[in-house]
Amino acid sequence: MPLVPVALAFGVGVALAPAVRSDLAWAGWVAALATAIAFSAFGHARWAAAPLLAGVVAVGALRGTEPPLPLDDVARLDLPRVARVEGRLAAEPLRWAPDRTRLSIDARRVDGETRSG
């Protein structure tokens, strides 16, 4: 039972991850940690619980965010785009309809430039 508030705070952070920028989550974590340390240093250990839970929410938000894509990733290309893609098939082609096929490709180059993704 003592870990229920911590688990709930972490879950709230993960749920808020799509709506929170990672730099704000980092700032919230640092501020919560500094506040909790300050309360503890001045003998108000009970008051440090709320900032610590806020810090756990921030850590949950950081854990729930997707890591940034590499600079050479194919997903960073502007769309719509017609391009020559060189790579290797990652999986067998999937036919959705007679005129539609989905290809999963590990890209190596796009229009002669080295890319990943």
Side-chain angles (χ1 to χ4, degrees):
M1 279 308 270
L3 293 178
V4 169
V6 177
L8 285 174
F10 190 80
V12 167
V14 170
L16 292 176
V20 177
R21 294 188 346 228
S22 62
D23 58 343
L24 293 178
W26 277 108
W29 179 73
V30 170
L33 189 62
T35 305
I37 289 171
F39 280 143
S40 296
F42 291 115
H44 300 289
R46 288 183 181 230
W47 291 9
L52 280 176
L53 286 177
V56 171
V57 170
V59 168
L62 287 171
R63 180 65 179 107
T65 58
E66 294 183 19
L69 294 172
L71 294 177
D72 68 341
D73 198 276
V74 175
R76 289 184 176 259
L77 293 174
D78 295 327
L79 295 177
R81 181 180 176 123
V82 175
R84 180 172 182 236
V85 178
E86 299 174 26
R88 186 174 56 173
L89 285 176
E92 191 160 329
L94 176 66
R95 287 210 178 267
W96 289 4
D99 59 336
R100 296 190 70 182
T101 302
R102 182 178 192 148
L103 298 174
S104 180
I105 299 173
D106 289 331
R108 300 279 188 248
R109 300 175 72 81
V110 175
D111 288 337
E113 295 181 23
T114 302
R115 294 284 182 173
S116 65

